[in-house]
Amino acid sequence: MTPEILLDQLKLFIEAKTAGIMLPVKTAPNEPPIERAAEVWPMRLPTKEHETKSIPYIILQLVNGTDGKDEYGADVSGCFVRLVFGVYSEDASKGGLWLLNLMMTVRTALLKQQLIGGQFVLEPPVEWLIYPDNTAPYFFGEMATNWTLPTIEREVST
């Protein structure tokens, strides 16, 4: 299924581009601090409790898709993928900056590459926002991306 392949390719791409960004993980009060790269999850986190236990993370949510014709009558297919970012920090100013750094790293990598998996094209605009809600020590944001998918060839029976 092509949208699933897009999510798989995006996951691999984003993991590679963010592997060097070590972010804090919430630990029990008596445990030493732990840092790791953000986990990348296609569609959803495995369980509700992962919403805070899996941070830092990036969720790739395929929201919708379209199939139609372009202005020249050619078949076109596309989809909208929302990236949800979550980080943790006891220091509110650092948490906001770590979130921004993670998001801008992904944004820059996507805009530089624009072709993922040899078949999926990032289409402008790329929109992003940092949630203004006070959810400290957790910080969240999202990015909206549109992708051109390979078209499905019509089968004609003879």
Side-chain angles (χ1 to χ4, degrees):
M1 186 163 82
T2 303
E4 185 178 353
I5 296 169
L6 169 60
L7 292 180
D8 290 342
Q9 291 297 309
L10 269 176
K11 179 181 187 312
L12 293 172
F13 178 79
I14 291 170
E15 285 173 339
K17 297 300 181 182
T18 60
I21 301 174
M22 296 294 119
L23 297 165
V25 175
K26 185 173 183 175
T27 57
N30 298 334
E31 292 181 16
I34 298 172
E35 290 184 341
R36 66 166 170 76
E39 294 179 348
V40 182
W41 297 89
M43 294 304 286
R44 305 246 182 269
L45 294 169
T47 66
K48 183 79 172 155
E49 78 177 18
H50 278 82
E51 285 180 2
T52 54
K53 290 190 175 185
S54 290
I55 285 180
Y57 60 65
I58 302 168
I59 303 170
L60 310 174
Q61 295 179 327
L62 192 126
V63 177
N64 64 24
T66 58
D67 295 295
K69 303 268 185 201
D70 67 12
E71 62 271 16
Y72 305 107
D75 291 336
V76 293
S77 294
C79 66
F80 173 75
V81 177
R82 179 172 78 159
L83 289 71
V84 179
F85 298 78
V87 302
Y88 164 83
S89 177
E90 290 295 335
D91 181 327
S93 64
K94 284 184 182 177
L97 289 173
W98 287 337
L99 174 64
L100 183 61
N101 181 47
L102 183 62
M103 291 177 68
M104 293 304 100
T105 298
V106 172
R107 175 184 159 265
T108 301
L110 289 172
L111 290 171
K112 282 182 177 180
Q113 184 77 21
Q114 293 191 16
L115 179 67
I116 302 296
Q119 60 183 334
F120 306 104
V121 179
L122 177 66
E123 297 292 339
V126 173
E127 298 179 28
W128 54 274
L129 71 101
I130 294 175
Y131 299 160
D133 306 331
N134 183 8
T135 56
Y138 303 102
F139 302 86
F140 300 96
E142 70 179 70
M143 190 174 298
T145 62
N146 292 290
W147 296 88
T148 298
L149 304 173
T151 56
I152 299 171
E153 297 294 323
R154 184 184 321 186
E155 293 181 2
V156 179
S157 57
T158 56

